[in-house]
Amino acid sequence: MRDVAVVGAGMVPFGERFDQGMKELLPATLRNALASVDKGMAKPEIQAAWFGQLQTSDGHPAGVLADSCGLLDIPVTRIENQCATGNDAVRNATLAIASGAVDVALVIGADKTRETPSVSTFWDWMGLARDRGWDYPLGLIAPANFALHVARYMHEHDVAPEHLAMVAVKNHHNAVTNPIAHLRMEVTVEQVLAAPRVVGPFGVFDCTPQSDGAAALLLAGGELADRYTDRPVWVRGVGLGLDRVMHAHKTDMTSFPATVKAARAAFAMAGIGPSDIDVAEVHDCFTGVELMNYEDLGFCERGQAKKLIESGATELGGSLPVNPSGGLKAKGHPPGATGVAQCVELFEQLRGQACNQVGTPRWALAHNVGGPTAVSAVTILGAARD
Amino acid sequence: MTIGALSLYRPVWEQSGNRVAGQDEDVLTLAVAAARPLAERHAVERVVVVTGTPDVVVGFGTGVVARALDLAEDAPVELRLGGAPALLDAVLSAGPGSLVVGVDLTGHAAASGAAWVTDGPGAELTAAGRVTGSLPMRVRAVGADHTTTYGDGRVERELATVPLVGRLRSADAPLVVGISPGEARRLGARSAALPAPGPAGVLFALAEASSWPGGTVRVVALDAAGGAAADFRPGPVEVVRDERPALSVDERPAVGEDVVIPFSMPAYARAFDAKIGMVAATCSCGETSYPPRQVCLNCGRYDDTRPTPLRRTGEVYTCVKVHVPIPGVAGPYGLAIVALDDSPVRVLAQVADVGRRETGIGERGRLVLRRVAVREGVPDYGYAFRSEFDAAGKGVPA
């Protein structure tokens, strides 16, 4: 397949953006992405766009992107794959360029999570992910969706609430120095443990905020990269994995099989393994999920995630920094944008220009898992073309 | 008429010394709670549910009752309106194979009972008088939240209770349902602790009488100006009780902010038989799926399955308590994934009757029919997990 380069990346701050609708967020994000291209890129050079958006907030997503950004003469495809939407949009654009069908593509992800009143928000989001006849009326809200896994995981591997809190402390710390992060505040283990309970092992500080936001990447065929930059980043692997949709059907809830499958596919495509990864942005919608991800992505053995977080290896300055941006936990989580924003962070890390730069990484991994924990997408970016 | 078995159910929630219904209970679930233990043990050909306090009249879930009790396709389920006398009438006119269910459900008392009528051994119940009068001391119009009561209890005593008991009693002290224990004493009647004054109260009274030494007991059921009497001759009656240690109503989950929860009638209809009947599909290769699925994930066969009833007992694989208030859902509530006995099937269910205690992984219990939600005004039934541990963490029969 043809090599695929990331030649530009941009986003807008995550947070409560009540003043910005899709029609404002998207053009601002595209402008920032275009402005990041070292040698410049004009909008008409974009030949196709993939738009990741989970919840439709301003009407027909593809049309809104084309119309609001002035991209009316190119094909625009909306990708919806639950919380894996962002990295799945990256995957689709990557495959289009790799095939030779497209030379320059825009990947943009955006979501507005606060467009309906909070009284109905849980039901709005459950409606996207639950069977209307079976699980929906039971009140299987998103935090419970993950907490059922984490409760069993903690039970089998003797994981303490403190281990979950350590994830929150780390990711909040990283977000303090990230200017686009939603929650730029330190928390302590004691604060996390004492916070009001939400579901099962999760308190308020174990949970992602509801964020609005958008992020974009500009991808180009390998032979065109130097037209745009002397420091491209390379999409070396993409993978998508699925699992059963009903929780009652998941045989081993201490793992997310979707993540295992997505990672396997991405690593195989990149020709590397988990130990080669220098920095990762993983799906920490809830603290305990980050621990499970360490194991599903192969960063440690089964049951060893608590040792990994205890060791400090995943902190800034550790051997494998995870979520240097602050992660979903503190940077924020507008689902359609999340995966794309992870790649924006890793693009900057691999070019040595991130706000929380972690040395000179060569390999970086982005990961989402979502919906009824039934889908995962993994993207592996490399500093080198081969 | 011969009663072969009796089943009695009281909700776990206690308020001012009485048991009251959970937020997930209604006339239908109370009826099933009492009827199910008998339907599991005996052949049931028809069900009559008697209540003086119907909460759903148009669209009452007779089909839900039928599936929850695993009745045959052609077994009728009837909802009959009436108080304590109507329950006696229903039993006295029932044929063998009938299950007569009585439900009392008000804001201050809830209970249910069921009687299985048989042509085999049991206790004999014989009609012994009926009076139909009019003294509307208590009136509740359809749709009204409260009952209007005529504010002079002596009127009821003098114009209804005393003359009715006088006409319906025999020489021996009768067992009277529908009056207070104090009133019963004043009238020279036998006293029994009954949880409710209506149809369910009659069944609790029969269960009480079945354990009394001696011969026939005259049972008198009153409802203002109406009354029915029957002679109960104790015999071999199996009595099943589901009365858990009480839990304060202060711990009962409650709906905070209300919201209209979207509802899909086609999705309800598609799920119905498998969901309410707890029926899985077993492929010809042996793989069992629940909810039933078209394509077998083991062998790939398309739609080559037979229905398989599931056990209603099992063990918690994982569980969490939802503390954050969810509009439209009574909380805090627990969610559990329960591995069913003798089956590869697991089900997701809310946790019932648990109060503040947290359910734990590995706990055993039973899946019981509850009203899991009311969506766009439609009661939606399903199964909730009831642990075999009570609120204090002590073991009780599942």
Side-chain angles (χ1 to χ4, degrees), chain A:
Chain A
M1 288 198 298
R2 186 190 194 190
D3 295 336
V4 179
V6 187
V7 299
M11 55 190 290
V12 294
F14 284 1
E16 284 184 342
R17 306 293 301 271
F18 295 124
D19 59 328
Q20 303 265 299
M22 273 293 149
K23 291 167 190 164
E24 289 78 36
L25 289 176
L26 294 171
T29 305
L30 174 58
R31 186 193 57 192
N32 291 347
L34 288 169
S36 76
V37 178
D38 296 330
K39 300 179 185 177
M41 179 187 287
K43 202 164 58 179
E45 295 177 64
I46 300 169
Q47 296 172 355
W50 278 264
F51 177 22
Q53 191 188 8
L54 175 47
Q55 177 99 296
T56 306
S57 53
D58 274 333
H60 175 216
V64 169
L65 176 66
D67 196 341
S68 66
C69 291
L71 293 170
L72 290 163
D73 297 316
I74 62 168
V76 177
T77 302
R78 183 253 189 128
I79 301 289
E80 187 282 296
N81 219 337
Q82 304 283 298
C83 289
T85 293
N87 275 305
D88 197 16
V90 172
R91 189 182 72 94
N92 277 272
T94 296
L95 297 179
I97 291 177
S99 76
V102 175
D103 288 331
V104 177
L106 167 68
V107 181
I108 191 162
D111 253 305
K112 297 277 301 164
T113 61
R114 300 292 304 280
E115 295 289 293
T116 53
S118 55
V119 68
S120 66
T121 194
F122 278 115
W123 293 104
D124 295 339
W125 288 92
M126 268 191 281
L128 300 174
R130 305 280 174 265
D131 184 298
R132 290 287 170 130
W134 290 82
D135 292 349
Y136 179 75
L138 299 180
L140 181 60
I141 59 172
N145 171 46
F146 283 97
L148 285 166
H149 283 273
V150 172
R152 182 74 198 187
Y153 171 78
M154 293 173 76
H155 172 80
E156 288 197 19
H157 295 303
D158 196 24
V159 174
E162 285 77 6
H163 292 115
L164 273 60
M166 291 163 82
V167 174
V169 170
K170 169 177 74 72
N171 294 351
H172 269 273
H173 173 76
N174 296 351
V176 169
T177 43
N178 184 351
I180 57 86
H182 187 167
L183 300 177
R184 301 180 64 190
M185 52 184 269
E186 301 272 4
V187 295
T188 65
V189 167
E190 294 71 30
Q191 284 174 320
V192 176
L193 295 177
R197 299 287 92 193
V198 177
V199 176
F202 303 149
V204 167
F205 286 130
D206 290 286
C207 303
T208 175
Q210 286 181 274
S211 316
D212 300 333
L217 300 177
L218 291 161
L219 307 186
E223 76 284 5
L224 303 170
D226 63 1
R227 183 190 295 176
Y228 298 109
T229 178
D230 295 330
R231 297 179 300 161
V233 161
W234 299 90
V235 183
R236 298 293 300 273
V238 290
L240 189 78
L242 291 158
D243 190 28
R244 305 293 302 276
V245 295
M246 292 179 89
H247 284 63
H249 291 158
K250 297 169 195 286
T251 49
D252 177 4
M253 290 185 69
T254 67
S255 163
F256 298 115
T259 294
V260 174
K261 294 173 200 175
R264 189 187 299 141
F267 280 126
M269 184 170 163
I272 63 166
S275 61
D276 295 310
I277 298 297
D278 300 308
V279 58
E281 287 276 313
V282 308
H283 204 85
D284 59 331
C285 49
F286 303 96
T287 50
V289 176
E290 178 167 320
L291 299 179
M292 292 176 64
N293 295 337
Y294 293 170
E295 299 173 17
D296 289 331
L297 293 168
F299 295 159
C300 64
E301 297 295 313
R302 291 277 160 214
Q304 298 304 304
K306 64 180 180 183
K307 296 248 170 54
L308 193 62
I309 187 86
E310 282 171 358
S311 74
T314 56
E315 295 170 10
L316 295 176
S319 57
L320 174 54
V322 174
N323 289 326
S325 71
L328 285 62
K329 172 71 266 279
K331 182 176 66 179
H333 182 30
T338 297
V340 183
Q342 291 175 329
C343 291
V344 172
E345 167 72 19
L346 297 176
F347 173 79
E348 293 172 354
Q349 289 286 356
L350 291 169
R351 284 161 49 111
Q353 55 189 190
C355 57
N356 291 321
Q357 185 61 39
V358 296
T360 53
R362 295 179 60 246
W363 292 99
L365 178 147
H367 158 260
N368 297 139
V369 58
T373 69
V375 62
S376 172
V378 169
T379 304
I380 294 174
L381 301 178
R385 183 169 181 174
D386 50 29

Side-chain angles (χ1 to χ4, degrees), chain B:
Chain B
M1 211 49 54
T2 307
I3 295 173
L6 288 164
S7 169
L8 308 172
Y9 172 76
R10 298 178 75 191
V12 73
W13 307 105
E14 186 177 62
Q15 176 180 271
S16 311
N18 291 322
R19 296 295 180 95
V20 293
Q23 76 294 338
D24 54 354
E25 295 182 290
D26 63 5
V27 166
L28 190 155
T29 68
L30 290 169
V32 170
R36 173 80 197 177
L38 300 187
E40 283 180 0
R41 291 167 169 80
H42 304 289
V44 174
E45 290 167 16
R46 61 171 47 76
V47 175
V48 179
V49 178
V50 182
T51 183
T53 51
D55 47 3
V56 173
V57 281
V58 176
F60 179 75
T62 47
V64 177
V65 174
R67 291 284 69 74
L69 299 181
D70 300 331
L71 300 184
E73 285 284 332
D74 59 350
V77 176
E78 181 189 348
L79 177 64
R80 203 177 284 183
L81 188 63
L87 189 286
L88 271 189
D89 293 343
V91 175
L92 291 166
S93 61
S98 297
L99 203 53
V100 177
V101 185
V103 179
D104 279 67
L105 175 58
T106 65
H108 47 85
S112 59
W116 181 64
V117 178
T118 176
D119 49 10
E124 289 299 323
L125 193 71
T126 313
R130 187 68 165 95
V131 177
T132 303
S134 176
L135 195 71
M137 294 290 295
R138 290 167 292 278
V139 173
R140 184 163 70 98
V142 171
D145 288 336
H146 67 283
T147 302
T148 304
T149 304
Y150 184 79
D152 191 341
R154 285 192 55 76
V155 173
E156 181 168 19
R157 176 182 156 77
E158 297 303 324
L159 296 186
T161 310
V162 171
L164 280 172
V165 171
R167 284 175 64 182
L168 293 170
R169 69 178 297 166
S170 56
D172 295 332
L175 176 54
V176 182
V177 182
I179 59 176
S180 70
E183 188 75 275
R185 272 195 307 278
R186 282 194 290 277
L187 290 167
R190 303 179 73 157
S191 188
L194 304 179
V202 175
L203 293 158
F204 277 78
L206 295 181
E208 181 94 9
S210 71
S211 67
W212 286 346
T216 300
V217 179
R218 171 65 57 88
V219 178
V220 175
L222 298 182
D223 182 15
D231 284 326
F232 182 73
R233 185 158 56 81
V237 183
E238 174 190 24
V239 178
V240 185
R241 290 177 187 268
D242 183 350
E243 298 174 81
R244 295 194 150 208
L247 199 50
S248 167
V249 77
D250 297 339
E251 292 192 42
R252 184 175 62 178
V255 176
E257 212 164 351
D258 218 345
V259 69
V260 174
I261 303 169
F263 177 66
S264 163
M265 192 65 80
Y268 172 95
R270 287 192 297 271
F272 184 79
D273 282 341
K275 185 173 157 181
I276 304 302
M278 283 191 69
V279 179
T282 300
C283 178
S284 56
C285 78
E287 181 85 351
T288 296
S289 61
Y290 185 75
R293 48 182 298 124
Q294 215 97 54
V295 176
C296 178
L297 287 185
N298 181 51
C299 71
R301 281 188 182 82
Y302 181 82
D303 214 11
D304 183 16
T305 63
R306 59 185 163 78
T308 315
L310 294 168
R311 295 277 296 273
R312 281 162 167 77
T313 52
E315 182 178 307
V316 173
Y317 170 74
T318 185
C319 57
V320 294
K321 186 153 245 181
V322 179
H323 301 278
V324 64
I326 306 300
V329 185
Y333 59 97
L335 289 169
I337 293 177
V338 182
L340 301 183
D341 291 341
D342 305 325
S343 166
V345 169
R346 289 184 193 149
V347 295
L348 175 70
Q350 281 197 2
V351 177
D353 300 348
V354 75
R356 294 195 188 97
R357 188 178 74 84
E358 299 241 358
T359 309
I361 288 171
E363 269 184 43
R364 293 190 48 77
R366 176 176 289 273
L367 290 156
V368 294
L369 188 84
R370 290 294 162 97
R371 189 184 63 192
V372 297
V374 177
R375 294 192 281 164
E376 296 188 15
V378 180
D380 194 3
Y381 299 93
Y383 285 86
F385 174 76
R386 198 158 69 134
S387 171
E388 64 183 30
F389 294 102
D390 68 15
K394 294 202 188 97
V396 293

